[in-house]
Amino acid sequence: MKWLIVLLLACLPPLTVNAGQDGFDAEAFAVNYFDAWRATQSPHAGPEDIERYLALLADDVGHQHLPYDPDAARDPQGKNRMREGMTYYLGAHTEYRASLTGQLSGYGVVIIEYQTYLKGQHPQTGDIIEKSSETIEVLELEDGKVSVIRKYSK
């Protein structure tokens, strides 16, 4: 599935659903979502950055990030669980850079692709972490909010 999404991003022209009859601008949403996510990963991120990001999500958001979080089922406590997890890791990065490299939208989804570099210390193990990755997020939307996040990184 991951490679199918990559193939779609690489081969198709951008399919953006701009402000239409319902006023939803998928391209602006993708940029806003990415900017909010990136802010939560900053070495100087605070609880207000997490709340700005969470405001884009449905209360019962489902989240899948293989191999760490394999179940994308929606959960009545989904947003609260994400807040708890993000707060635990808040400030763990000493360096973080990310750039949005692609986006695609249509049929109730927004797909973003981005590259990241991070360096930091794991809050539980104390291990120093340094890595670069390419990530694709498939954001399923409902009523203008993200209802399911499917995250694929390599």
Side-chain angles (χ1 to χ4, degrees), residues 67-84:
Y68 315 106
D69 199 2
D71 184 7
R74 292 177 74 175
D75 175 355
Q77 294 299 314
K79 187 186 284 192
N80 289 332
R81 291 182 201 280
M82 288 194 67
R83 179 181 291 110
E84 188 176 297

Side-chain angles (χ1 to χ4, degrees), residues 26-82:
E27 185 174 346
F29 183 89
V31 171
N32 187 40
Y33 175 91
F34 174 74
D35 288 345
W37 167 255
R38 181 175 50 194
T40 69
Q41 303 303 298
S42 165
H44 307 292
E48 67 281 358
D49 296 306
I50 292 174
E51 292 306 317
R52 178 177 167 235
Y53 171 74
L54 292 175
L56 301 171
L57 310 182
D59 290 339
D60 64 344
V61 67
H63 182 265
Q64 179 182 48
H65 184 188
L66 298 172
Y68 315 106
D69 199 2
D71 184 7
R74 292 177 74 175
D75 175 355
Q77 294 299 314
K79 187 186 284 192
N80 289 332
R81 291 182 201 280
M82 288 194 67

Side-chain angles (χ1 to χ4, degrees), residues 100-120:
L100 187 62
T101 57
Q103 57 184 302
L104 180 72
S105 62
Y107 307 108
V109 300
V110 171
I111 302 169
I112 62 171
E113 180 180 31
Y114 56 93
Q115 295 181 338
T116 59
Y117 166 80
L118 67 86
K119 185 174 182 180

Side-chain angles (χ1 to χ4, degrees), residues 18 111 122 130 151:
N18 289 324
I111 302 169
H122 192 282
E130 183 174 13
K151 188 178 290 197

Side-chain angles (χ1 to χ4, degrees), residues 2-18:
K2 176 180 172 181
W3 296 111
L4 176 61
I5 295 167
V6 171
L7 182 62
L8 285 173
L9 283 169
C11 295
L12 293 177
L15 299 174
T16 40
V17 180
N18 289 324

Side-chain angles (χ1 to χ4, degrees), residues 124-144:
Q124 183 178 17
T125 64
D127 292 343
I128 300 298
I129 301 165
E130 183 174 13
K131 70 178 187 172
S132 296
S133 63
E134 296 174 22
T135 301
I136 293 173
E137 289 192 32
V138 179
L139 309 170
E140 298 176 19
L141 303 176
E142 183 177 283
D143 298 325

